[in-house]
Amino acid sequence: MDPAASSGNSSSNSSGGGAIPATLIPGDGIGPEIMDATLQVLDALGAPFAWETQQAGMAALEASGDPLPEATLDSIRRTGLALKGPLTTPVGGGFRSVNVRLRELFQLYANVRPARTLVPGRYENIDLVLVRENVGGFYVAHDYYIAVGDDPRAVAVSTGTNTRADCLRIARFAFEYALRNGRRKVTVVHKANILKALTGIFLEAAREVAADYAGRVEMDDRIVDACAMQLVLDPWKFDVLLCTNLFGDILSDQIAGLVGGLGLAPGANIGEHAAVFEAVHGSAPDIAGKGIANPVALMLAAGLMLEHVGRQDLAQRMRTAIDRTLNEDNVRTGDLKGKAGTREFAQAVVRRLG
Ligand code: NAI
Ligand code: MG
């Protein structure tokens, strides 16, 4: 199917038996290209999803005047599961980030961003997971200007909010994740020396939760700036990073850099009633429409979605096929110094699955 072909209307397409209803949002920029590539691979795998294609972002704004149409929200309410391409957010003015609204509306409070070496480069054997608090902090964005004299934008103000309940919830998620996935340590990232309340409460909650996991999962903590440096000097000493919203956003791009860049970094947004899977990267307007984007990040996000519905077997098959395509067939996209286009790469992964 061609996700770009549908504009605002829902269309269903089952790719495999035992269909699980799931919402599919192609997204903006390179979104439709990498989504097409990912769907090819999911089809070849026999992934058990029955897709409802919906629009969001600029694509939806152009089609229906609303960057987050009710039909899209209804679909996610029904399915509780979505695979989403990147969405463009206007800088400065314009509408509020659709990604942030989705996280708030569906209380997708945990953002899980694994970074594993697939293509050995500057670093080898990186295996980190960043767990980011996804609904609070500075992303609450009480962000505004105050007028002074005749300058309507003389002062800029931003207020963040972290509730104790939210901090406890994400800390528990991180420690449970560590336990279930055989991880030894959770490092809490904060700036409690300066943002004493906003990030102090986060650290405090993490310490409280860590006590319940004593002897099973270790905990330590780092101030965010020192953490950024140590991630470059010695990334192997980290395991699970537990971050507030903004620091998690920044450090997840950094750890993507440790494993070959944004083209390889997937993410999951998880709540009680819904989960949305996506690449860490954005809509990459600089390369959109050229057929050269790396679809691996979105493919790996689909892999996290397969794991979420209990199909670890299919996720593992897909990861192995991607690994062999990259490292044995040497088929790679331009961001990894290869020559393959998006479609060519997908076809190579499909051949590996055959
Ligand atoms: P970006 O992640 O789209 O691009 C950063 C750089 O990485 C660009 O040079 C781009 O060409 C490259 N890149 C990203 N993904 C790639 C891929 N799959 N293959 C090869 N190269 C890739 O970040 P940028 O430019 O800051 O943001 C563009 C738009 O995306 C903005 O409107 C932003 O708000 C939005 N965005 C959306 C996200 C989402 O939907 N989850 C996440 C991040 C940004
Ligand atoms: Mg980001």
Side-chain angles (χ1 to χ4, degrees), residues 48-306:
F49 300 116
W51 299 112
E52 290 184 15
T53 302
Q54 297 290 344
Q55 300 292 340
M58 295 305 248
L61 188 68
E62 279 153 25
S64 67
D66 183 351
L68 187 52
E70 202 52 40
T72 303
L73 295 175
D74 276 342
S75 173
I76 301 175
R77 274 184 208 114
R78 257 192 323 269
T79 62
L81 200 59
L83 182 64
K84 188 184 78 58
L87 305 177
T88 299
T89 306
V91 172
F95 57 83
R96 189 153 176 262
S97 165
V98 171
N99 293 311
V100 173
R101 283 177 61 201
L102 280 173
R103 291 170 197 158
E104 287 175 357
L105 279 169
F106 292 101
Q107 280 296 299
L108 308 173
Y109 68 91
N111 187 198
V112 180
R113 295 180 159 180
R116 263 187 223 119
T117 302
L118 258 177
V119 178
R122 236 169 262 161
Y123 297 87
E124 289 186 22
N125 302 317
I126 302 281
D127 183 7
L128 295 168
V129 180
L130 189 145
V131 175
R132 166 188 177 197
E133 200 289 314
N134 218 18
V135 292
F138 280 124
Y139 277 62
V140 173
H142 292 300
D143 194 54
Y144 54 92
Y145 295 101
I146 298 174
V148 176
D150 54 8
D151 183 355
R153 297 183 162 198
V155 183
V157 182
S158 189
T159 314
T161 314
N162 279 324
T163 68
R164 185 178 307 282
D166 285 356
C167 293
L168 289 169
R169 178 171 66 169
I170 191 67
R172 193 153 302 277
F173 180 95
F175 279 89
E176 273 304 310
Y177 180 95
L179 204 58
R180 273 186 288 114
N181 292 279
R183 304 247 161 202
R184 63 179 205 290
K185 185 172 76 177
V186 173
T187 301
V188 183
V189 183
H190 60 89
K191 186 84 182 173
N193 52 332
I194 304 297
L195 300 168
K196 290 181 201 285
L198 186 69
T199 73
I201 195 175
F202 190 79
L203 177 59
E204 214 174 273
R207 285 194 174 128
E208 189 181 324
V209 169
D212 294 342
Y213 293 83
R216 296 185 291 167
V217 182
E218 261 178 74
M219 180 204 137
D220 62 5
D221 71 276
R222 288 280 187 294
I223 294 176
V224 62
D225 38 354
C227 184
M229 180 197 66
Q230 285 165 8
L231 275 168
V232 171
L233 290 180
D234 187 8
W236 302 277
K237 74 172 162 208
F238 295 99
D239 192 353
V240 176
L241 296 157
L242 171 59
C243 302
T244 54
N245 205 339
L246 179 60
F247 297 160
D249 178 39
I250 297 167
L251 292 189
S252 57
D253 274 30
Q254 188 183 347
I255 64 174
L258 298 176
V259 299
L262 285 171
L264 299 174
N269 300 280
I270 298 180
E272 296 284 332
H273 305 294
V276 177
F277 298 82
E278 63 183 345
V280 168
H281 64 71
S283 55
D286 51 336
I287 57 167
K290 294 185 180 160
I292 59 172
N294 189 349
V296 170
L298 189 62
M299 288 177 185
L300 294 176
L304 297 177
M305 184 164 163
L306 285 166

